[in-house]
Amino acid sequence: DTEVTQTPKHLVMGMTNKKSLKCEQHMGHRAMYWYKQKAKKPPELMFVYSYEKLSINESVPSRFSPECPNSSLLNLHLHALQPEDSALYLCASNLGIGSNQPQHFGDGTRLSIL
Amino acid sequence: DAKTTQPTSMDCAEGRAANLPCNHSTISGNEYVYWYRQIHSQGPQYIIHGLKNNETNEMASLIITEDRKSSTLILPHATLRDTAVYYCIVRAMYSGGGADGLTFGKGTHLIIQP
């Protein structure tokens, strides 16, 4: 069982829909991350939040909008996605930027865009 | 972050030790070596990490060469449940913000044979 919880586990949406992915951790971690993983490829970093502030955006299209309401929660708001955005979206957390402690991952949300 | 090189795939007999190599010849002095694995349809699972000394935990052992240019992950008694993609990642520690995400390579697909 992972200590990082992601909901929903699966999501199917049309290109005109608006939906949100949620991630929650209660380990007191102050850094949280979104990664995208296409089929048969390694995960790729999208966003990094440190102390609830966005510190890294890896040139992600604006149709993906992250939000960190508090230190335990991380959301990814989705709007007007394209079929090529279908992927596994992974959330991770760790103690904080600059720590050598490992990142802990959730099991992801598998997103399908129709 | 420095790049890593891993074999694409490896086989190991159940009950034997699985030894997974990783080359990181351009590693810097402040970069740690992390190992994660990803079982199908799950998020990456942290296994072990180290800087220059060998490390052991309940899952595995990590052997880092003296020049730190390569390392080996050892699963002492492989089981069928150890079949997964294993990622070797080097990651620098930054203080006060800056790049902190993990850069995944293609990893090694380890198949444990019954």
Side-chain angles (χ1 to χ4, degrees), chain A residues 7-20:
Chain A
T7 55
K9 294 190 185 304
H10 301 274
L11 179 62
V12 179
M13 58 187 286
M15 289 189 284
T16 58
N17 292 154
K18 288 184 181 181
K19 296 286 185 183
S20 297

Side-chain angles (χ1 to χ4, degrees), chain B residues 16-55:
Chain B
R16 305 295 294 269
N19 295 274
L20 291 89
C22 179
N23 287 319
H24 32 79
S25 59
T26 60
I27 193 169
S28 300
N30 68 341
E31 288 181 317
Y32 284 73
V33 180
Y34 291 80
W35 283 84
Y36 285 80
R37 72 181 182 184
Q38 189 171 22
I39 296 168
H40 183 62
S41 297
Q42 296 181 16
Q45 177 190 23
Y46 165 74
I47 301 172
I48 198 167
H49 74 286
L51 183 61
K52 53 184 178 181
N53 297 323
N54 297 338
E55 302 287 345

Side-chain angles (χ1 to χ4, degrees), chain A residues 91-107:
Chain A
C91 174
S93 70
N94 84 338
L95 198 59
I97 290 177
S99 164
N100 69 354
Q101 293 305 300
Q103 291 184 18
H104 295 260
F105 285 80
D107 281 335

Side-chain angles (χ1 to χ4, degrees), chain A residues 30 32-34 45-60 64-68 74-76 97, chain B residues 97-98:
Chain A
R30 303 313 300 267
M32 296 187 76
Y33 310 78
W34 281 114
L45 183 67
M46 300 174 73
F47 301 105
V48 180
Y49 272 82
S50 177
Y51 290 85
E52 301 157 46
K53 291 188 182 346
L54 182 64
S55 65
I56 295 176
N57 175 342
E58 291 286 357
S59 303
V60 179
F64 295 91
S65 176
E67 177 197 21
C68 190
L74 186 66
N75 299 320
L76 186 63
I97 290 177

